Amino acid sequence: MRVMVLVKATEDSEAGVMPTTELFEAMGRFNDELIKAGILLTADGLKPSSQGKRVAFDGPSRTVIDGPFAETRELVAGFWLWEVKDMDEAVAWVKRCPNPMPGPSEIEIRPLYEMADLREHLTPEVTEMHDRTREKLSGN
């Protein structure tokens, strides 16, 4: 099971306040544990939403919205992509994580859709396109 683990933004992360050296080191050690366990697929931090954009869709219309975005607690500051056996394993790993922010913070865990979840809803042509895309992304 693949899960995306989302580090929620805080006022500090949205203000561009960088983590302390100690926090960088603690997160580095945690990431090393994830790598050794064979769980970590990728991870990264995101710059504040003031440096981002959103594109709003309404039928054929597209509207570009410049950051920053309101509702800091609903924004994402960073993420991991993990391969775990189940949600319980993902929760256990998140509980081991250093607090990713200087103050109170949240980490959200969301499972990704796998083809097994979608196949009954897709035509053979769409399934084939998806499989080709995954193959290209994996470098095969």
Side-chain angles (χ1 to χ4, degrees), residues 115-127:
M115 274 309 287
D117 301 319
L118 304 174
R119 285 207 191 271
E120 70 182 70
H121 303 285
L122 303 177
T123 65
E125 294 80 16
V126 172
T127 300

Side-chain angles (χ1 to χ4, degrees), residues 59-109:
S61 172
R62 307 294 186 263
T63 304
V64 177
I65 304 161
D66 295 324
F69 308 121
E71 296 300 325
T72 297
R73 63 187 176 81
E74 298 299 323
L75 298 174
V76 175
F79 68 93
W80 290 277
L81 188 59
W82 295 349
E83 179 82 38
V84 293
K85 66 181 178 224
D86 55 29
M87 189 60 85
D88 290 339
E89 182 181 22
V91 169
W93 276 101
V94 169
K95 285 181 172 182
R96 295 173 57 181
C97 180
N99 184 350
M101 299 291 171
S105 65
E106 287 186 4
I107 294 179
E108 179 178 335
I109 307 167

